[in-house]
């Protein structure tokens, strides 16, 4: 069955909410008695302490770090191993209960909301680092392992996992959302760094996407199922193990900061640095509004103008060359106040502005909340989209300092808004839709790193077009014919 | 001055592991559990390596007492920049009852043998939490001690130590040779990089027996029983302040 609805999804939130709630009412949750039967089945799988219907526990598992409101599941289960996950899934399949996988709840797109109620599978008890293969640069982890926990575990092996989204997220959750971070320009995103996944499908089938226990660094064997599940946001299966690619800890690091007279100059420098073959590790952009916010927040005195924060990884010798080349390029593009530091303490101070960007933005308007946009465009389109977006911000009367992973053409407007001001909420909503469409018009994507989740499904359809959406829908139906896996997300 | 610093390191259960008590209550489960260098020992090694990088001292010698596995911990210290290691062999059975008194006797003997200018230890180990080894070592050697160090500065043949104490910070100046123990804020230990781990494989680790140092390992302590902390009980909600006062009286709290 091809995906039939081609009309553009309504933009106004209250209308789309009505549309959703009509469907919810007809398919929502179980009767009290039905739930009790299922709960005793769950308890026999993961024990008394492995099942909870407590209101607080359910609320905790119905929200993430996005602005989407809490949508609690009917029950939360805490499996301890893949066999339990499979047994629980079989029960849910038999009773047609939605299954929502939950890692750390640090997502930014409402991915864990139980729109149709159902069962939240909290995977935090499965928290073992399973096999570290130092010579092969790979490791296998369970979903309860977060990226900081893994790097701490690996600290005496000389290896690390560099993908670093803002939160200390579950690595399997990062695989599910195809996460990225400031390091992506050098080390890639989850797409490039997952070698194999163990996944439980809605009917309880346990699947190894690259074959059980296999971890070659590359393979040409069959369809790439691993990358099908990377970014599927829990809509195709529950990830219970991930085999990840590791890298050597850099011998040394240098951080640098440089100011520019314009966004164009900053982006031109970025392009220049990448084209010069400098293996730059991090290249982050802050617009002047953000720099001003950071100055105020941390009592710093960076020039209030578009700024690049850079980080280089390598041996002592290669760092010298990298920094020298980069300084020449930034100078040639009108850059000034080039500062750099080698020792950890000064590096920390230099980068503090970028690290505290979120809080600095919030501090611009105390009492408000923040929402981050997430578009990504080809590098050459970045100056245009940033300039147009800033004009839109001014025209709409919105607060939206910009921070971006400019090396990937990805930037975030940190929208600071008063959630009780309905007019402002509406203006932000319309602004973000315009921004996403602007990115799509410039050959980009509506989401560089955060995922589609709940709020970008209409934009996904615009971005992909009916052909690709049809294939996605077919895949969804093949793997999850009853639509139990995280319903209402992505598609 | 010899320019040699002796750093003691201990292999402990990794700080991130959930500790479980053995069913027979004789101790905690260590089989198959991740172990790593005691965090305060990492800080001690880092401080010594920093001194060498600043050319204030000439050689960093790292020592650990225990069975075969402690060699991994010594290798990690070598990867961080220590020059050579000493493994004081203590068989597994005797290791179970090895405590600060025996270790400090070993360290004192080694400090004399190696003509150490400084002995740097972590302030305590995260398994025993004894916080005694540094102090006992200094006493056995009759050397000054700078414990809970959050800042160390070498000044000729003296050491200025800023210590973290209950009321704040205390600065002292002591003669060398001396014993220092590292506190949390002394430094941030470096990660061992792969090239350094490879280089460390070639560095020397000498094997020594406690008897060679004239140390008797017999313990004067006997562990009777190990228990988990009591399970947290559910709280009780009360309706009024009077109820609250009544309940507190019942529990003998007021």
């Amino acid at each position: 069955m091809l995906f039939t609805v081609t009309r553009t999804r309504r933009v106004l939130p209250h209308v789309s909410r009505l549309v959703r709630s009509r469907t919810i009412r007809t398919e929502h949750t179980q009767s009290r008695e039905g739930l009790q039967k299922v709960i005793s089945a769950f308890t026999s799988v993961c024990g008394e302490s492995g099942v909870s219907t407590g209101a607080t526990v359910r609320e905790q598992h119905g929200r993430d770090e996005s602005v989407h409101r809490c949508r609690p599941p009917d029950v939360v289960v805490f499996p301890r191993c893949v066999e339990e996950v499979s047994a629980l899934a079989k029960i849910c399949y038999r009773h047609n209960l939605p299954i929502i996988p939950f890692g750390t709840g640090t997502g930014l797109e409402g991915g864990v909301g139980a729109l149709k109620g159902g069962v939240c599978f909290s995977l935090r008890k499965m928290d073992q680092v399973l096999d570290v293969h130092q010579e092969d640069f790979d490791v296998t982890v369970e979903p309860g392992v977060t990226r900081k926990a893994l790097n701490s575990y690996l600290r005496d092996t000389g290896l690390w996992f560099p993908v670093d989204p803002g939160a200390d997220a579950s690595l399997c959750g990062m695989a599910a959302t195809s996460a990225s971070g400031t390091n992506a320009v050098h080390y890639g995103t989850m797409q490039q760094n997952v070698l194999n996944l163990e996944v439980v499908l809605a009917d309880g089938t346990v699947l190894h996407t690259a074959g059980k226990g296999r971890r070659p660094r590359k393979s040409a064997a069959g369809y790439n199922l691993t990358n099908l599940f990377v970014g599927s946001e829990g809509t195709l299966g529950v990830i219970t193990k991930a085999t990840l690619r590791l890298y050597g800890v850099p011998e040394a690091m240098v951080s640098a900061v440089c100011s520019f007279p314009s966004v164009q100059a900053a982006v031109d420098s970025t392009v220049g640095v990448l084209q010069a073959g400098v293996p730059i590790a991090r290249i982050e952009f802050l617009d002047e509004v953000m720099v001003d916010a950071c100055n105020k927040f941390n009592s710093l005195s960076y020039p209030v103008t578009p700024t690049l924060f850079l980080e280089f990884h390598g041996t002592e010798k290669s760092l010298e060359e990298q920094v020298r080349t980069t300084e020449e390029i930034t100078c040639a593009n009108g850059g000034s106040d080039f500062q750099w530091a080698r020792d950890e303490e000064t590096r920390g101070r230099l980068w503090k502005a970028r690290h505290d960007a979120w809080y600095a933005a919030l501090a611009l308007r105390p009492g408000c909340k923040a929402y981050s946009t997430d578009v990504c465009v080809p590098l050459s389109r970045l100056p245009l989209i940033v300039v147009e977006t800033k004009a839109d911000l001014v025209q709409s009367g919105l607060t939206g300092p910009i921070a971006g992973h400019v090396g990937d053409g990805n930037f975030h407007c940190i929208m600071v808004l008063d959630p009780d001001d309905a007019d402002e909420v509406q203006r932000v909503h319309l602004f973000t839709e315009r921004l996403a469409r602007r990115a799509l018009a410039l050959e980009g994507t509506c989401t560089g790193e955060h995922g589609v989740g709940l709020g970008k499904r209409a934009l996904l359809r615009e971005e992909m077009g009916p052909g690709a959406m049809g294939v996605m829908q077919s895949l969804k139906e093949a793997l999850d014919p009853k639509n139990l896996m995280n319903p209402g997300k992505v598609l | 001055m010899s320019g040699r610093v002796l750093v003691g390191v201990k292999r402990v259960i990794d700080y991130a592991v959930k500790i479980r008590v053995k069913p027979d209550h004789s101790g905690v489960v260590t089989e198959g559990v991740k172990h790593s260098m005691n965090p305060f020992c990492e800080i001690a090694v880092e401080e010594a390596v920093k001194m060498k990088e600043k050319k204030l001292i000439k050689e960093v010698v790292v020592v650990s007492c225990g069975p075969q596995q402690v060699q991994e911990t010594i290798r990690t210290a070598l990867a961080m920049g220590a020059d050579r290691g000493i493994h004081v062999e203590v068989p597994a059975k005797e290791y179970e009852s090895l405590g600060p008194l025996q270790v400090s006797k070993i360290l004192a003997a080694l400090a004399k043998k190696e003509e150490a200018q400084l002995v740097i230890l972590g302030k305590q180990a995260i398994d025993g939490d004894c916080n005694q080894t540094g102090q006992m070592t200094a006493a056995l050697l009759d050397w000054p001690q700078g414990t809970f160090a959050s800042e160390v500065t070498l000044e000729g043949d003296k050491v200025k130590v800023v210590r973290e104490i209950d009321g704040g910070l205390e600065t002292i100046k002591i003669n060398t040779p001396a014993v220092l123990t590292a506190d949390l804020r002394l430094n941030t230990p470096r990660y061992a990089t792969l090239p350094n781990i490879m280089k460390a494989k070639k560095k020397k680790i000498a094997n020594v027996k406690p008897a060679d140092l004239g140390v008797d390992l017999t313990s004067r302590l006997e562990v009777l029983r190990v228990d988990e902390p009591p399970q947290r009980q559910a709280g009780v909600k009360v309706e009024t302040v009077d109820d609250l006062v009544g309940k507190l009286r019942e529990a003998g709290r007021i």
Side-chain angles (χ1 to χ4, degrees), chain A residues 186-251:
Chain A
H186 188 60
Y187 297 98
T189 70
M190 292 306 284
Q191 300 256 355
Q192 287 82 35
N193 291 302
V194 179
L195 295 172
N196 199 348
L197 291 172
E198 179 186 80
V199 183
V200 176
L201 301 177
D203 64 359
T205 309
V206 180
L207 153 75
H208 294 96
T209 57
K212 187 170 171 132
R214 301 200 184 288
R215 48 190 185 84
R217 286 179 70 77
K218 62 185 194 188
S219 169
Y223 299 156
N224 190 343
L225 296 180
T226 306
N227 276 49
L228 170 63
F229 285 91
V230 173
S232 60
E233 302 185 46
T235 59
L236 298 178
V238 182
I239 298 176
T240 51
K241 275 191 196 72
T243 304
L244 305 167
R245 199 188 293 274
L246 298 173
Y247 295 78
V249 170
E251 274 191 51

Side-chain angles (χ1 to χ4, degrees), chain A residues 252-256 310-313 319 323 340-342 347 351:
Chain A
M253 297 191 208
V254 166
S255 298
L310 311 120
E311 191 171 282
F312 308 88
H313 294 174
L319 285 178
V323 174
W340 63 273
R342 166 80 179 79
R347 276 194 286 120
W351 264 73

Side-chain angles (χ1 to χ4, degrees), chain B residues 228 243 247:
Chain B
E228 273 180 16
D243 286 345
K247 282 248 182 292

